[in-house]
Amino acid sequence: MNHNPGRVKWWAAWWAVPLFRVGVDPDGRPRALQRAGTY
Amino acid sequence: MPADPSPAGRHAVQVLRTYPSKTPPFPHALQGERSIARAYTKAVQRARRLIYLEDQYLWAAHVADLLAEALARNPQLHLIAVVSRYPEQNGRLSGPPARIGQQQALDRVRGAGGDRVAVYNVENDAGSPIYVHAKVCIIDDVWASVGSDNMALRSWTHDSELSCAVIDAERDERLPLTRAVSATAPGSSPGSYGCGSGPSISVTTRPTQSWSARSRASASGATRPLSWSAGTATAAAVPARTAAR
């Protein structure tokens, strides 16, 4: 069936977004590559 | 060190890895390794007709941007993705980060591709969701990747992952098939599609347009005919070769 994960409530988004970036899906690249946007 | 194995088969296989850049560094990857990310980047940028994904997550903005740029650049390109209905961790604290990450990624991809993008989750006959743990990508029935990596920045840059990419330069002469999930058609043969020992959903296969007709329709053999066509009435149509998994 079509997939839709469902919207996160606005009051949860303000902490969920940074938690996602830092803890759930972190960036393991060297700083230089992060700045360059490449791998 | 053992000798290299003898050549076998006609496919080119490349082993890809991810190691993070960390302190102290890995002795064999001082700056880390991101060959999985680079391979996906190159392959997606060259996609012409169809990107088929089965993935546990599909939630990174970097991955979504890569797919979105390919969809925006090529109006003939379609994307079909099969993901899990619910995140692996879906508690009050763990659920929102996973859901918002995937929602943002899907918004970007759907915004770029519109109705050329189809994202599905799967369930068994009883309606219970089947957790998709696969990490598979097939592009234009030419390039395929199977491994431990998910479509996520974590897998592409942070964790230790191992994957194999296969390039198949040989034309597949088999008749294209369409797999219709939970659909029945006269004369069709049922199959199964599931994970591990858990319940399976029923699938049927039926031939679609003949290979010769597709070959005539394709531009002088410049592109490989695909086993997927937009606008079919099936719930999910995937490349025929995925049936071999």
Side-chain angles (χ1 to χ4, degrees):
Chain A
M1 60 188 300
N2 286 316
H3 179 71
N4 191 333
R7 295 285 170 182
V8 174
K9 304 289 187 187
W10 66 267
W11 48 266
W14 71 268
W15 60 264
V17 170
L19 184 58
F20 172 77
R21 290 176 179 165
V22 174
V24 177
D25 197 35
D27 191 338
R29 291 175 293 179
R31 297 282 185 193
L33 290 181
Q34 290 186 28
R35 286 193 292 269
T38 61
Y39 298 102
Chain B
M1 188 173 212
D4 290 343
S6 302
R10 295 183 291 270
H11 300 82
V13 180
Q14 183 179 22
V15 177
L16 307 166
R17 304 185 299 184
T18 297
Y19 286 112
S21 172
K22 70 181 189 69
T23 305
F26 287 111
H28 54 280
L30 298 178
Q31 295 294 315
E33 179 174 333
R34 292 156 296 279
S35 53
I36 291 175
R38 291 201 299 273
Y40 267 105
T41 301
K42 291 174 69 175
V44 169
Q45 288 174 342
R46 288 162 172 75
R48 298 177 185 176
R49 298 289 302 278
L50 175 65
I51 299 173
Y52 174 78
L53 291 171
E54 289 182 18
D55 199 80
Q56 186 177 4
Y57 299 139
L58 185 54
W59 61 24
H62 289 71
V63 176
D65 288 342
L66 179 64
L67 295 170
E69 288 168 6
L71 287 162
R73 189 169 49 246
N74 186 351
Q76 302 299 317
L77 182 63
H78 293 73
L79 169 67
I80 298 176
V82 180
V83 299
S84 294
R85 185 178 301 175
Y86 302 111
E88 185 178 20
Q89 304 291 331
N90 198 25
R92 292 180 61 188
L93 191 62
S94 58
R99 289 205 309 276
I100 203 167
Q102 190 179 67
Q103 186 63 64
Q104 290 177 342
L106 295 183
D107 285 347
R108 294 186 191 199
V109 173
R110 284 170 170 153
D115 60 1
R116 292 180 287 131
V117 176
V119 183
Y120 299 104
N121 57 64
V122 290
E123 63 184 21
N124 63 13
D125 287 336
S128 299
I130 296 173
Y131 190 78
V132 176
H133 206 282
K135 302 94 167 60
V136 175
C137 178
I138 304 172
I139 297 179
D140 289 341
D141 218 14
V142 173
W143 186 89
S145 175
V146 181
S148 65
D149 60 294
N150 294 292
M151 300 294 280
L153 195 59
R154 169 184 284 273
S155 280
W156 285 14
T157 66
H158 186 275
D159 291 351
S160 297
E161 309 281 8
L162 183 67
S163 182
C164 279
V166 182
I167 291 182
D168 179 6
E170 184 180 3
R171 182 180 292 272
D172 186 349
E173 298 297 340
R174 292 176 297 177
L175 185 68
L177 299 176
T178 298
R179 306 181 81 203
V181 178
S182 298
T184 57
S188 62
S189 58
S192 64
Y193 187 95
C195 300
S197 58
S200 298
I201 60 173
S202 63
V203 301
T204 59
T205 59
R206 64 180 173 81
T208 57
Q209 190 178 8
S210 69
W211 174 268
S212 57
R214 280 185 183 271
S215 297
R216 285 193 299 271
S218 62
S220 65
T223 59
R224 294 167 61 92
L226 296 170
S227 56
W228 185 87
S229 59
T232 58
T234 56
V238 301
R241 290 189 181 187
T242 60
R245 287 197 308 275

